[in-house]
Amino acid sequence: MTTGDRPSSAPTMGDVAHRAGVSQMTVSNVVNGRTARVGAATRARVLAAIEELGYRVNVSASRLRSGRTGVVALAVPDFSLAYYAEFAERLAVRFAEAGLRLVLEHTAGRRESELATVERGHLDQYDGLALVLAAGDAEEVARRHPGRPVVIVGEREVSSSLDHVVMDNVGGARAATEYLLSTGARRIAVLGAQPGGPVSMASLRTRGYLEAIAAAGVAPDARLLVGGGVGFDDGARSAAALIAEGAIPEALLALTDETALGALHTLAAAGIDVPGRVQVVGWDGTRAGRFATPALTTVDPDNDAIADAVVRLLARRIHADGPVPREIVMPAARLVRRGTTL
Amino acid sequence: MTTGDRPSSAPTMGDVAHRAGVSQMTVSNVVNGRTARVGAATRARVLAAIEELGYRVNVSASRLRSGRTGVVALAVPDFSLAYYAEFAERLAVRFAEAGLRLVLEHTAGRRESELATVERGHLDQYDGLALVLAAGDAEEVARRHPGRPVVIVGEREVSSSLDHVVMDNVGGARAATEYLLSTGARRIAVLGAQPGGPVSMASLRTRGYLEAIAAAGVAPDARLLVGGGVGFDDGARSAAALIAEGAIPEALLALTDETALGALHTLAAAGIDVPGRVQVVGWDGTRAGRFATPALTTVDPDNDAIADAVVRLLARRIHADGPVPREIVMPAARLVRRGTTL
DNA sequence: ATGAAAGCGCTAACAC
DNA sequence: GTGTTAGCGCTTTCAT
């Protein structure tokens, strides 16, 4: 009523133009900060009209016409896993500094959902996408020829045409295992293990472990490769199973911090001394691990370097004029020794 | 080249229509599952054309025209706080069951960012929004008259026109404090406290605590109200400060699980027995608390009920024809007793 | 420095 | 059951 002739629906750029007595194009120029093309007085008038009408640009319309959005997406398998959550926060802060907004999408760790995020019609909503690949295959993603910059955050280097930030899964597992061996441990269990099978976080970390014990001349023992998930409950369950078997290992390499924390819980309940009787190593460098009791020794994937790389790789493509050479980055994982190891 | 006359850019609905020898509207009907309006044979031909061209609907265009999007957003202050992360995951699963996709937005806990999420042009991207209000005011949000369903997830009931899912902050703090008093504790510290000041999570929980001790005839002691943030570090620091003062309280009411876990870390390092010497209560019911050692007693806000309410309130408005009466829901918080209390 | 025209890709509304 | 028309709100392009 009070805003003119479009009583109930939102004011458009046309409404603002009308009120300011200028063309719609001038409003667009003001809104988009193309100050060179608008006189100061005109600009002031337009700004006043925007204020009076409470006008906001319609993102969908702007996006449809220009293709640009100012928004990037991060697609993760699960919002609640501490590792992804902390990674997302790191990215959000960095992208904000780069003038881009970050939104999170959810893939439920399903291959088809992961692929859906790079379909054109979907990806068109964003200037770029960082895709954490848990189930799917990077080559399959690349085959969809996404029309926008995509960075794969993944488990292994892969021969696709996409930029790739690779986790140092094999190297990290090897480093952790080597350290445990150096303390004298020989019977080292892996919680969340997946020997063989399709390439995945679990299979690669398991491989690094197997390589390290082989190099040290320690024979693998299938009973020490405890499968299952990598959540808190899985860790607790796996530790309980190991205890029930009677032959408690000298060390546990848990494939995530949450698995390690779950195992720690079970060990404490059973009165088993950590690290005296059993050493425990986690993976991810999460805050929860740092504040556990004892503080959790963990494989730090170098999350800052990973986040930096994702932002850099995406930003350079978003702002590029021509083609950009493909790049692969693999920050080195390193063991952070704290209280759960000797 | 192989797909016809639009070599490099993405195929449109028009391309599909052309190839299938039907009108664009028929393609739209097929894509949107309006099967009643399309013959089986036609449908098959359209589907084939879609497959051959690798066509995907452009979400932005569809959104602009129809207004509908099939996507809802949850705006949180911080992706990495376990409470929000776990809450987001709960919502994502529930919305998926309701046929809606959930994306996460980031407000950095800043009032202006919170308000920006409900601006028309921004909100138009979504069918609805759940907004976790940390800094801003619900009445201010309501004054923007968001053009789409918005549910406020907030600290207190408020006289706005928006649906509201309210945390039982005062009640939860009272219940936790009453329990601690019942165990004989008299000197109970609050970590993350904020006595007085603007209404916030911290001030309301502090109020509940003060009400409970007043009712028990225990005099408040300013030295027991330890301010600061509610992260791991804050909890660790606050506990250290309390220890340094020499007069260690009989119990700590930490305003989040992360604060409690931080405090637990410090207490363990100082060799102080929990719960024998000091009891500790957290707040949020996170998984990390459940698997701490000892397992953390916590105020459970009833996150399932909160998530159910958010989905229900948003869905009923999204699918409503006419106006919908405003609703306020406040699930009761309850104390979950575990190992850090007597 | 400003404006007019065209159209991004899609769907609502109606005609047949 | 299928087609035609119009237009969502914006920005591109080109004219002045």
Side-chain angles (χ1 to χ4, degrees):
Chain A
M1 289 325 221
T2 62
T3 55
D5 48 356
R6 293 176 132 273
S8 69
S9 83
T12 71
M13 221 172 230
D15 297 333
V16 175
H18 188 86
R19 178 152 192 138
V22 298
S23 79
Q24 188 173 315
M25 205 46 234
T26 298
V27 178
S28 174
N29 285 328
V30 169
V31 164
N32 292 290
R34 291 184 241 283
T35 36
R37 297 192 186 178
V38 186
T42 312
R43 195 180 121 82
R45 237 169 343 119
V46 170
L47 255 19
I50 287 175
E51 174 69 21
E52 287 159 27
L53 296 179
Y55 169 76
R56 302 293 149 178
V57 302
N58 181 315
V59 181
S60 299
S62 161
R63 185 170 286 178
L64 174 61
R65 185 65 242 240
S66 76
R68 240 162 293 109
T69 76
V71 183
V72 295
L74 167 68
V76 297
D78 186 315
F79 291 144
S80 72
L81 259 51
Y83 180 69
Y84 300 131
E86 293 186 12
F87 180 61
E89 183 64 24
R90 277 187 164 82
L91 278 191
V93 171
R94 283 168 170 77
F95 275 120
E97 286 164 3
L100 291 163
R101 252 186 41 228
L102 179 73
V103 308
L104 258 56
E105 295 243 358
H106 193 259
T107 64
R110 290 184 306 119
R111 188 180 139 280
E112 63 204 88
S113 299
E114 291 174 352
L115 289 172
T117 61
V118 297
E119 303 278 16
R120 298 201 93 118
H122 185 102
L123 191 49
D124 283 345
Q125 300 176 93
Y126 304 113
D127 285 352
L129 170 74
L131 173 58
V132 176
L133 223 43
D137 179 44
E139 302 183 48
E140 197 172 5
V141 171
R143 238 178 282 125
R144 309 260 161 156
H145 301 295
R148 302 256 171 163
V150 171
V151 172
I152 304 287
V153 181
E155 308 303 346
R156 55 154 180 172
E157 180 172 342
V158 105
S159 61
S160 84
S161 53
L162 301 172
D163 288 337
H164 215 100
V165 180
V166 186
M167 311 281 205
D168 184 13
N169 283 308
V170 176
R174 211 159 31 203
T177 308
E178 282 164 2
Y179 176 73
L180 291 170
L181 289 165
S182 80
T183 67
R186 283 299 169 273
R187 301 192 62 250
I188 304 171
V190 180
L191 307 191
Q194 190 191 296
V199 170
S200 66
M201 176 270 265
S203 72
L204 291 166
R205 294 181 186 178
T206 304
R207 185 200 297 172
Y209 157 85
L210 290 170
E211 287 178 11
I213 63 167
V218 173
D221 178 345
R223 288 166 306 179
L224 294 177
L225 298 176
V226 187
V230 289
F232 285 103
D233 331 39
D234 302 297
R237 248 196 315 271
S238 300
L242 249 12
I243 292 171
E245 277 180 22
I248 300 173
E250 296 149 64
L252 307 180
L253 174 57
L255 294 196
T256 71
D257 279 357
E258 301 191 345
T259 317
L261 262 12
L264 242 28
H265 182 76
T266 297
L267 292 170
I272 297 173
D273 179 52
V274 175
R277 176 69 186 81
V278 181
Q279 299 184 66
V280 177
V281 177
W283 195 310
D284 282 343
T286 59
R287 290 182 302 221
R290 202 161 82 230
F291 287 96
T293 303
L296 182 64
T297 292
T298 191
V299 178
D300 177 3
D302 200 345
N303 294 312
D304 283 318
I306 291 172
D308 285 342
V310 168
V311 173
R312 181 175 61 77
L313 293 176
L314 230 32
R316 71 183 185 139
R317 279 194 196 276
I318 289 170
H319 300 121
D321 287 328
V324 173
R326 185 244 188 161
E327 195 173 329
I328 293 181
V329 179
M330 186 174 85
R334 54 182 245 294
L335 189 71
V336 178
R337 287 167 51 191
R338 294 196 286 234
T340 55
T341 48
L342 296 174
Chain B
M1 290 323 225
T2 62
T3 55
D5 48 357
R6 291 177 136 272
S8 69
S9 84
T12 71
M13 220 171 229
D15 297 334
V16 175
H18 187 86
R19 178 152 192 138
V22 298
S23 79
Q24 188 173 316
M25 203 50 230
T26 298
V27 178
S28 172
N29 285 329
V30 169
V31 164
N32 292 290
R34 291 184 242 282
T35 37
R37 297 193 186 178
V38 186
T42 313
R43 195 181 122 82
R45 239 167 341 118
V46 170
L47 255 18
I50 288 173
E51 175 69 20
E52 286 159 28
L53 296 178
Y55 168 77
R56 302 293 149 179
V57 303
N58 181 316
V59 181
S60 300
S62 161
R63 185 170 288 180
L64 174 61
R65 184 64 242 239
S66 75
R68 239 162 292 107
T69 76
V71 183
V72 295
L74 167 68
V76 297
D78 186 316
F79 291 143
S80 72
L81 259 51
Y83 180 70
Y84 299 131
E86 293 185 12
F87 180 61
E89 183 64 23
R90 276 188 166 83
L91 278 191
V93 170
R94 283 169 171 75
F95 275 120
E97 286 164 3
L100 291 162
R101 253 186 40 229
L102 179 73
V103 308
L104 259 56
E105 297 243 357
H106 194 259
T107 63
R110 290 185 305 118
R111 191 180 136 281
E112 64 205 88
S113 299
E114 290 174 352
L115 289 172
T117 61
V118 297
E119 303 277 16
R120 298 201 93 118
H122 185 101
L123 191 50
D124 283 345
Q125 300 175 94
Y126 304 114
D127 286 352
L129 170 73
L131 173 58
V132 176
L133 223 43
D137 179 44
E139 302 183 49
E140 197 172 6
V141 171
R143 238 178 282 126
R144 308 260 162 156
H145 300 294
R148 302 255 172 165
V150 171
V151 172
I152 303 288
V153 182
E155 308 303 346
R156 56 154 179 172
E157 180 171 341
V158 105
S159 61
S160 85
S161 52
L162 301 172
D163 288 336
H164 215 101
V165 180
V166 186
M167 313 280 206
D168 184 15
N169 283 308
V170 176
R174 213 160 29 200
T177 308
E178 282 164 3
Y179 176 73
L180 290 171
L181 289 165
S182 81
T183 67
R186 284 297 170 273
R187 299 192 62 250
I188 304 171
V190 180
L191 307 191
Q194 192 190 295
V199 170
S200 68
M201 176 270 266
S203 71
L204 291 166
R205 294 182 186 177
T206 304
R207 185 199 298 172
Y209 157 85
L210 289 171
E211 287 178 11
I213 63 167
V218 173
D221 178 346
R223 288 166 305 178
L224 294 177
L225 298 176
V226 187
V230 290
F232 287 103
D233 331 40
D234 302 297
R237 248 198 313 272
S238 300
L242 250 12
I243 292 171
E245 278 182 20
I248 300 174
E250 296 150 63
L252 308 180
L253 173 57
L255 295 196
T256 72
D257 279 358
E258 301 192 345
T259 316
L261 261 13
L264 241 28
H265 183 76
T266 298
L267 292 171
I272 296 173
D273 179 51
V274 175
R277 175 72 184 78
V278 181
Q279 300 183 67
V280 177
V281 177
W283 194 310
D284 281 343
T286 60
R287 289 182 303 222
R290 204 162 79 229
F291 287 95
T293 302
L296 182 64
T297 292
T298 190
V299 177
D300 177 1
D302 199 344
N303 295 311
D304 283 317
I306 292 173
D308 285 341
V310 168
V311 173
R312 181 175 61 78
L313 292 177
L314 230 33
R316 71 182 185 140
R317 278 193 197 276
I318 289 170
H319 300 121
D321 287 328
V324 173
R326 184 240 188 164
E327 194 173 329
I328 293 182
V329 179
M330 183 173 87
R334 54 182 245 293
L335 190 70
V336 179
R337 287 167 51 190
R338 295 196 286 235
T340 55
T341 48
L342 297 175

